[in-house]
Amino acid sequence: MSSSPTTVFVATNDLSGFTRGRAAPGNAADGVLRRGLGWVPADLAVTAFGEVAPNPFGSTGDLKLLPAESSGVDIPARGDLPGVRLYLADQVLPDGTPWENCPRGFARRALDDLRRATGLEVVATFEHEFMIPGLDSGAPFSFARFRSAEPFGSELVSLLDRMGLEPETWLPEFGTDQYEITLRPSDGMTAADRAVVLREVVRDLASQYGHRATFAPLLHPEGSGNGVHVHLSLRDAATGRPVLFDASRPGGLSELGGRFSAGILRHARALLSFTAGSPSSYLRLTPHRWSSAGVFLAERNREALLRICPTSSLGGGVAADQFNLEYRAADATANPWLVLGVLVRAGLRGVEADYAQPRVWPEEAGEADLAEVPSLPGGLEEALLELDKDDVVSGWFSAELLETHRSVKRSELAAVAGLDERDVCGRVADVY
């Protein structure tokens, strides 16, 4: 441990993408790492708005939050706030055996199954957009906006670097008061863990400067949205050789990569109930917002569900090493472990069931060309209905986790029922 924080905070991330947990004195850290801290199954059913949705657990049952020691990061003291050591945890039964409803465990099992079935491992990163309302922020992408976030911005990059999260870029984005932070790619579980930690570090540091950072999908219906773009590549676990690139094929996507993509595309409408998790998420997923406007795979098109990202030979760059797929229909109202897990599961399904190769739409394809591609769900309820219809996706989850997910999401929809779109965005923005 690099310092002696006053407390340790042991955390999980729930079905609404909230990081929740329990704290213990810093001098108890060794025992906490061995024995964990107490937790309750019904905590999985807490909604984004702080209510407990109907759930199969009720008031009974007990769990432990068992920290992953490698996930620990130090959030330094500042002013009157003491330092804290943050750990991410698996939810386990009191005897230490895995709890089948743990989101982090779901991601781990998906990654393990991919490796067992194919010999492949995932390399990933989660790009986050967020806003700091109220800054005198200047024009999109401008130096003036970059400087308006100082010293918060430079300290954020430095802090993430000290934590080992490997920040890659920090930039002023297009939307009003909008910024983006990217981290270097890492193995799949590390990437998802980092996504959980990043959101808390950004919010915590911003608050110390008197700012309120928000990762909400939209602050108002006509505005620019905040997404989480998930970049995925596959490598041979034994050799480290990248396997997605084949220069002879459309878009440079290998045959295996095509089957993996086909799995995500075929099950996309059900997957969105996990990757776009709030009542306002679907207001962002419409044409002309540079988010995702349909279920299709394309070269370098930022409105595709799956985008084949560009590669570059500059500086001796090798295409195969850079080649990756970008899933563009996620946001920070979703649990990163579940997002990663469902994408891996869907891709694996496409590989194992030998799904037909999807069409790779070229970069120059226009709106008229894409008019017949399948649409995304028009809202969260529609995505939940698609989940109900998709036995493959439903089959990846325990009955309890699936029931709780549906209940949490429908409880969140009920909480904003009757509100107009502007007020829905406001309610969601208030809590993210």
Side-chain angles (χ1 to χ4, degrees):
M1 189 177 295
S2 61
S3 61
S4 299
T6 304
T7 58
V8 294
F9 191 86
V10 181
T12 184
N13 195 267
D14 68 13
L15 299 180
S16 297
F18 273 78
T19 301
R20 307 184 196 270
R22 288 190 174 184
N27 59 15
D30 290 343
V32 169
L33 287 170
R34 292 196 307 273
R35 296 185 296 272
L37 293 174
W39 201 238
V40 177
D43 288 339
L44 189 66
V46 179
T47 74
F49 304 117
E51 302 161 344
V52 179
N55 64 85
F57 312 113
S59 60
T60 62
D62 289 281
L63 299 169
K64 288 282 192 175
L65 291 177
L66 188 63
E69 186 170 7
S70 63
S71 73
V73 296
D74 288 317
I75 298 177
R78 176 183 297 280
D80 294 333
L81 283 178
V84 61
R85 179 79 165 170
L86 174 65
Y87 288 104
L88 301 178
D90 288 302
Q91 298 178 57
V92 300
L93 298 175
D95 64 359
T97 57
W99 188 47
E100 62 180 350
N101 304 308
C102 173
R104 192 168 188 266
F106 177 82
R108 181 186 300 105
R109 290 191 298 274
L111 293 165
D112 289 346
D113 286 351
L114 176 72
R115 183 166 183 156
R116 278 193 293 267
T118 66
L120 300 175
E121 61 186 8
V122 170
V123 177
T125 189
F126 290 63
E127 287 183 4
H128 283 80
E129 296 168 332
F130 62 93
M131 291 168 180
I132 307 179
L135 291 181
D136 182 15
S137 54
F141 310 116
S142 67
F143 183 71
R145 179 179 293 180
F146 167 76
R147 293 291 282 177
S148 75
E150 296 291 20
F152 163 78
S154 291
E155 183 160 350
L156 174 63
V157 172
S158 177
L159 179 57
L160 294 173
D161 187 50
R162 295 198 304 273
M163 289 176 167
L165 269 65
E166 299 186 285
E168 192 171 55
T169 61
W170 158 247
L171 62 145
E173 254 286 0
F174 176 77
T176 302
D177 298 323
Q178 188 177 46
Y179 296 85
E180 179 179 281
I181 187 79
T182 68
L183 306 177
R184 291 190 61 181
S186 57
D187 69 89
M189 182 60 75
T190 298
D193 283 352
R194 286 175 172 179
V196 175
V197 172
L198 172 69
R199 299 172 192 179
E200 301 312 315
V201 171
V202 168
R203 292 187 184 104
D204 184 75
L205 184 62
S207 71
Q208 304 313 302
Y209 282 100
H211 306 315
R212 190 174 183 222
T214 178
F215 290 83
L218 285 171
L219 298 193
H220 53 86
E222 299 80 24
S224 297
N226 294 313
V228 175
H229 304 150
V230 186
H231 291 256
L232 295 166
S233 59
L234 299 174
R235 296 180 185 270
D236 185 288
T239 66
R241 180 181 62 86
V243 300
L244 285 186
F245 180 69
D246 183 340
S248 69
R249 289 178 49 83
L253 183 64
S254 68
E255 189 271 340
L256 183 144
R259 284 187 283 147
F260 190 90
S261 300
I264 294 174
L265 295 172
R266 179 169 309 182
H267 299 288
R269 288 175 60 84
L271 301 185
L272 259 80
S273 74
F274 294 97
T275 68
S278 81
S280 66
S281 295
Y282 297 81
L283 300 175
R284 187 181 74 88
L285 299 175
T286 56
H288 312 301
R289 286 186 181 270
W290 287 33
S291 52
S292 181
V295 181
F296 65 100
L297 167 70
E299 296 181 87
R300 299 177 291 277
N301 184 330
R302 289 177 175 82
E303 295 206 347
L305 180 76
L306 276 180
R307 181 174 82 110
I308 297 174
C309 297
T311 61
S312 173
S313 59
L314 283 174
V318 177
D321 293 338
Q322 303 168 40
F323 196 89
N324 70 92
L325 297 167
E326 180 186 31
Y327 179 84
R328 295 184 58 80
D331 60 48
T333 68
N335 179 304
W337 297 318
L338 293 180
V339 171
L340 180 69
V342 297
L343 293 177
V344 170
R345 288 275 180 209
L348 176 57
R349 173 72 177 187
V351 171
E352 290 188 315
D354 197 18
Y355 283 2
Q357 293 291 307
R359 180 171 184 174
V360 178
W361 288 93
E363 185 174 8
E364 59 270 17
E367 285 189 53
D369 301 307
L370 297 166
E372 300 304 317
V373 302
S375 64
L376 299 176
L380 181 54
E381 178 59 32
E382 187 177 340
L384 290 167
L385 293 174
E386 292 291 334
L387 175 62
D388 294 342
K389 293 189 295 186
D390 193 323
D391 293 337
V392 170
V393 177
S394 296
W396 301 333
F397 298 91
S398 70
E400 289 178 330
L401 179 54
L402 198 61
E403 179 184 344
T404 306
H405 170 70
R406 290 171 171 142
S407 180
V408 166
K409 296 297 111 180
R410 289 191 165 113
S411 293
E412 291 172 353
L413 285 168
V416 299
L419 300 181
D420 63 23
E421 291 181 349
R422 182 174 293 273
D423 288 338
V424 170
C425 290
R427 282 293 308 276
V428 174
D430 282 344
V431 296
Y432 285 98

